[in-house]
Amino acid sequence: MASSSNPTLLLMGRCSCQGQSEEKCSTSILYQLLNRGCQCGAAQERALLSPRAASNAASEVLLKTVEFVKKLPSFVALPPQDCAKLLQAGWAPLFLLGLAQEKLDFHPASPKKSILLGILTEKQQQQGDSAGQYREKLGKAKEFLNQCWSLDISTKEYVYLKGIVLFRPAVPGLLCPHHIHYLQQEAKMTLQEHMSSLHPGAPSQLSQLLLTLDALRTISARGIAELFFQPIIGNTDMGVLLLELLYPS
């Protein structure tokens, strides 16, 4: 864990763009995420066998995702504009990592048709989309979940991966891209240190974890919204919904 002579900085996670030098702003992702972040604990695999269960579970994971980022001092210390842009840009991969961590399987245990496909049948007919398109979207999400489960990712590792996904300096329009890049690099370094301590002779473990993030790039946020939330929120814009969750009135 990165150390600092001023423990207040570790707790506050202040942004270097708001008057703190990057050297002094040694906000420890390891400290913040493990002590102020996800507290879901170990999850047991659940196969969701009804449309209501699928909808409720997706909503629950999205709410947990937003609460997760709101508990990160280094996130909330950023300008509100940057917080909004980072969440809107990263919600879908964060949501999928949440599904994987919660071990939520959206395929029924029996060989029946996918529950999500059943939920979306009416939407498909209204919009002229083929079942094959929805199967492709669902297949990519399912492939990512299976990849995560095959690696047996720990709670700590999920937290580090979420930090890497959240702090994306390439998001357009950020006020503090350099500081956000610093936070992302620290998340990567703490993940590397964690994996090196657990598997000193197996660097491939870290490579496999990072490959899971590469898999997320092939899954569009629009596709995730259509699969998991359109049956719930209809045509409501996800960006607007996320802002309401981030900054409730």
Side-chain angles (χ1 to χ4, degrees), residues 44-80:
Q44 294 183 347
E45 185 171 355
R46 289 182 285 166
L48 302 176
L49 304 179
S50 73
R52 179 179 295 275
S55 298
N56 290 344
S59 300
E60 180 183 339
V61 171
L62 183 64
L63 290 173
K64 284 185 177 182
T65 297
V66 177
E67 288 302 311
F68 169 79
V69 301
K70 288 169 67 175
K71 290 178 181 178
L72 301 180
S74 55
F75 176 80
V76 297
L78 292 169

Side-chain angles (χ1 to χ4, degrees), residues 30-187:
L30 176 65
Y31 178 88
Q32 293 175 20
L33 296 189
L34 292 183
N35 291 279
R36 301 292 299 277
C38 178
Q39 301 183 15
C40 302
Q44 294 183 347
E45 185 171 355
R46 289 182 285 166
L48 302 176
L49 304 179
S50 73
R52 179 179 295 275
S55 298
N56 290 344
S59 300
E60 180 183 339
V61 171
L62 183 64
L63 290 173
K64 284 185 177 182
T65 297
V66 177
E67 288 302 311
F68 169 79
V69 301
K70 288 169 67 175
K71 290 178 181 178
L72 301 180
S74 55
F75 176 80
V76 297
L78 292 169
Q81 176 181 324
D82 283 7
C83 291
K85 287 183 177 298
L86 289 175
L87 182 59
Q88 288 175 326
W91 76 267
L94 288 169
F95 169 75
L96 286 174
L97 285 168
L99 286 184
Q101 184 177 1
E102 294 286 326
K103 293 184 171 58
L104 294 178
D105 190 348
F106 282 87
H107 276 297
S110 66
K112 298 178 182 178
K113 184 173 66 173
S114 164
I115 289 297
L116 282 182
L117 288 174
I119 297 173
L120 293 166
T121 298
E122 184 177 352
K123 293 291 183 182
Q124 293 168 12
Q125 294 173 346
Q126 292 174 353
Q127 299 173 3
D129 293 331
S130 68
Q133 289 177 305
Y134 280 90
R135 287 194 183 94
E136 181 181 0
K137 294 172 184 176
L138 186 60
K140 287 184 177 181
K142 179 67 174 177
E143 182 179 354
F144 169 76
L145 295 177
N146 286 336
Q147 185 176 358
C148 289
W149 296 332
S150 69
L151 294 175
D152 195 23
I153 301 173
S154 70
T155 299
K156 287 184 179 181
E157 291 156 6
Y158 274 117
V159 169
Y160 300 142
L161 292 173
K162 289 177 183 179
I164 295 170
V165 166
L166 175 63
F167 296 114
R168 294 169 55 192
V171 172
L174 294 174
L175 300 177
C176 302
H178 296 296
H179 181 67
I180 291 167
H181 173 74
Y182 167 74
L183 294 173
Q184 186 185 62
Q185 290 302 113
E186 189 172 10

Side-chain angles (χ1 to χ4, degrees), residues 9 14 38 43 83 91 93 98 119 128 204 214 242:
L9 288 178
R14 293 188 59 187
C38 178
C83 291
W91 76 267
I119 297 173
S204 62
D214 290 336
L242 290 166

